[in-house]
Amino acid sequence: MSGPERLLPWTGSDGKPCYLSSDGTGYVSRVADQIESVQLGMADQLLGHAAELLAERHVTRRELHYLAQRLSEALRDVKRVAESRGARQP
């Protein structure tokens, strides 16, 4: 018996969301769990880096732009993880 479709932590080649219909115990579910864990860990590390960078007095526009890009990517990933997990709540 499969549960609700799971939003996976990656997109297809066309940039559209990917979904999995399963009971949550298969290989693809385990890979998705691992990728979500990596994404959340990377976002946490990036937040720490952002705090350090923003505490500095002399930060270049280029550094800030790069940080904003990475934070945007991390936020998109974390949002997808939250949506996926929220949709699977009873």
Side-chain angles (χ1 to χ4, degrees):
M1 176 177 159
S2 67
E5 285 188 333
R6 176 183 182 165
L7 175 62
L8 295 172
W10 56 80
T11 60
S13 59
D14 56 2
K16 293 183 180 176
C18 292
Y19 294 91
L20 174 66
S21 180
S22 79
D23 63 2
T25 61
Y27 174 76
V28 176
S29 289
R30 289 191 303 274
V31 170
D33 290 342
Q34 291 171 348
I35 290 175
E36 285 180 353
S37 179
V38 168
Q39 289 173 327
L40 294 173
M42 289 174 64
D44 188 51
Q45 289 178 347
L46 183 58
L47 284 172
H49 176 68
E52 291 172 7
L53 185 66
L54 295 173
E56 293 180 20
R57 289 189 175 267
H58 302 289
V59 179
T60 67
R61 290 180 65 158
R62 186 175 183 171
E63 289 172 316
L64 288 175
H65 184 259
Y66 183 79
L67 177 63
Q69 287 178 315
R70 300 297 79 82
L71 286 170
S72 178
E73 292 167 358
L75 183 58
R76 182 186 60 242
D77 290 343
V78 169
K79 181 179 179 283
R80 186 180 296 120
V81 170
E83 288 173 354
S84 177
R85 291 181 180 184
R88 289 180 279 142
Q89 293 295 314

